[in-house]
Amino acid sequence: MKTAVMQPYFFPYIGYFQLLEAVDTFVILDDVNFIKRGWINRNTILLNGEPHLFTIPLDKPSQNKLICETKLHFPAKEREKFLKTIHTAYKKAEQFSAFFGVLERIVLCEHDDITSFIHNSFDEVCAYLALETKIVRSSELEKNNSLKAQDRIIEICKVIGTDLYINPSGGKDLYQPESFEQNGIKLKFIDTNFDAITYNQFGSVFTPHLSFIDVLMFNDKKTIKTLLNQYKLV
């Protein structure tokens, strides 16, 4: 079984979804402390030809709270405002009519905490793209919660019963293959081929590393499947 463990992010860049697509079980790491000024509740879209930062508002976010304890402060008026921004940015994109209804369901869902809100967005995107990855939350697993860092990841892998753990390449300095192997787990890193991830954005110079919303608005499902496979495991 192939497994990945990542903190939840709302419509992150394509590399995150490559990782989700590459595994059998994807674990949302939500029982660790929330990181303020991070990317859990924000990202960038293309608006008027320029990267535009969006933020999902939260209720008194604190690094003293776990992610799963962090609530939204996203009233109906703010949700409609967010959708209006997306509509303005992408109404002329090729796949706008195909995906905007899905995005509306995601943004207007009634979940009031950030983990559930993002988990639901993953479920909706997976259904839209016919991805079969199983998604679970670390806060719902019976495990030793006193463990930290690499030991916590290994513990999650053992609880799930995985034999191959895949991590973003940025974690190469954080994890030791020997420690995973001692627990019967192989460790691999996903290396995105960003040179192969380009597409038409209204005929302008391509702007990379935007929210996955941008990918979904400009590309049909078949093309997205191809883009999701532009990586190698090392």
Side-chain angles (χ1 to χ4, degrees):
M1 180 189 293
K2 295 176 288 186
T3 300
V5 181
M6 286 288 292
Q7 294 182 16
Y9 297 92
F10 186 68
F11 280 103
Y13 79 123
I14 191 172
Y16 190 104
F17 284 92
Q18 287 183 321
L19 182 62
L20 189 153
E21 191 273 341
V23 298
D24 303 303
T25 301
F26 185 88
V27 181
I28 297 174
L29 185 64
D30 66 334
D31 53 355
V32 294
N33 287 75
F34 182 86
I35 299 175
K36 294 185 70 173
R37 296 179 295 279
W39 292 92
I40 289 175
N41 63 318
R42 61 180 186 154
N43 214 289
T44 52
I45 58 170
L46 194 66
L47 180 63
N48 298 323
E50 298 291 337
H52 170 80
L53 181 70
F54 70 77
T55 302
I56 303 301
L58 303 175
D59 183 18
K60 300 177 182 178
S62 169
Q63 296 190 169
N64 295 319
K65 293 181 181 179
L66 301 180
I67 295 172
C68 60
E69 297 171 338
T70 302
K71 302 294 184 181
L72 298 176
H73 182 63
F74 202 16
K77 185 176 293 186
E78 290 298 318
R79 296 184 191 225
E80 293 293 347
K81 182 179 178 180
F82 175 79
L83 288 170
K84 185 176 181 179
T85 298
I86 300 296
H87 188 279
T88 299
Y90 292 106
K91 61 185 177 182
K92 295 182 180 179
E94 291 185 12
Q95 298 300 314
F96 175 83
S97 60
F99 184 68
F100 189 72
V102 178
L103 183 63
E104 280 187 309
R105 288 201 304 272
I106 290 169
V107 174
L108 299 177
C109 74
E110 296 182 355
H111 297 298
D112 66 352
D113 67 273
I114 191 64
T115 296
S116 297
F117 187 69
I118 295 175
H119 190 167
N120 178 68
S121 73
F122 291 164
D123 287 342
E124 288 276 9
V125 170
C126 285
Y128 178 74
L129 297 175
L131 304 182
E132 298 182 352
T133 304
K134 180 180 180 181
I135 301 174
V136 300
R137 307 182 194 185
S138 60
S139 59
E140 297 177 347
L141 299 176
E142 293 187 8
K143 61 188 186 306
N144 182 353
N145 289 315
S146 67
L147 299 173
K148 305 295 182 182
Q150 176 177 269
D151 292 335
R152 178 189 288 263
I153 300 300
I154 291 174
E155 170 78 354
I156 290 172
C157 289
K158 290 168 67 175
V159 168
I160 290 175
T162 190
D163 54 10
L164 173 59
Y165 175 69
I166 303 176
N167 199 79
S169 58
K172 289 180 179 178
D173 294 334
L174 301 176
Y175 302 124
Q176 290 76 48
E178 299 81 7
S179 297
F180 282 81
E181 290 172 3
Q182 290 171 3
N183 288 276
I185 304 164
K186 291 183 180 179
L187 173 64
K188 293 285 186 180
F189 295 93
I190 190 167
D191 190 2
T192 300
N193 180 10
F194 287 109
D195 290 338
I197 300 177
T198 60
Y199 46 87
N200 179 30
Q201 295 169 323
F202 301 128
S204 302
V205 176
F206 181 69
T207 302
H209 310 304
L210 298 174
S211 164
F212 200 56
I213 291 173
D214 192 80
V215 178
L216 289 156
M217 289 295 184
F218 286 115
N219 299 278
D220 61 28
K221 297 175 186 179
K222 183 178 180 181
T223 301
I224 292 173
K225 290 286 190 69
T226 299
L227 294 175
L228 288 175
N229 282 282
Q230 298 302 318
Y231 67 84
K232 60 181 179 180
L233 295 179
V234 295

